């Protein structure tokens, strides 16, 4: 499920068995430690994600959703990532898995 403001992506939610992963239009260098790299989801302008398993976690991180909305409304959009970026990230994840 995706959320847009004026045809610009703010967030996208991906259900998992016991949680929901929510990709957000925040800076890839955002200081919040709850955020993780979201390049595996391949959204060009949603570089980070937050994994939540119940409604209280969403409440705890409401400021991140508000910040993403505000960034998009102000036109502070992330530079779209190109296909090569995602291919490189996929190779890195594959190499990491093979070393385990």
């Amino acid at each position: 499920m995706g959320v847009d403001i004026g045809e610009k992506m703010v967030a996208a939610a991906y259900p998992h068995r016991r949680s929901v992963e929510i990709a957000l239009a925040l800076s890839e260098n955002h200081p919040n430690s709850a955020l993780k790299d979201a390049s595996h989801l391949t959204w060009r302008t949603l570089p980070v994600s937050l994994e939540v398993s119940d409604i209280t976690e969403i409440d705890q991180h409401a400021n991140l959703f508000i910040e993403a909305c505000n960034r998009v409304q102000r036109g502070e959009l992330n530079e779209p990532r190109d296909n090569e970026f995602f291919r490189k990230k996929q190779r890195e994840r594959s190499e990491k898995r093979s070393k385990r």
Side-chain angles (χ1 to χ4, degrees), residues 29-96:
N29 300 319
H30 197 284
N32 190 303
S33 62
L35 297 170
K36 64 179 187 175
D37 176 70
S39 60
H40 61 286
L41 300 173
T42 67
W43 283 104
R44 295 184 183 277
T45 58
L46 306 178
V48 293
S49 66
L50 173 69
E51 199 160 319
V52 296
S53 56
D54 64 51
I55 195 71
T56 60
E57 291 179 58
I58 292 174
D59 290 342
Q60 290 169 356
H61 297 291
N63 60 320
L64 295 173
F65 302 106
I66 293 166
E67 183 179 346
C69 289
N70 288 337
R71 287 185 82 230
V72 170
Q73 286 178 321
R74 290 189 305 260
E76 296 174 9
L77 306 174
N78 294 315
E79 188 70 29
R81 295 169 165 179
D82 62 13
N83 291 337
E84 183 54 35
F85 171 86
F86 293 108
R87 283 192 288 271
K88 179 182 175 194
K89 285 293 193 174
Q90 177 62 37
R91 283 191 302 270
E92 289 171 2
R93 284 191 297 273
S94 294
E95 289 171 6
K96 195 178 215 181

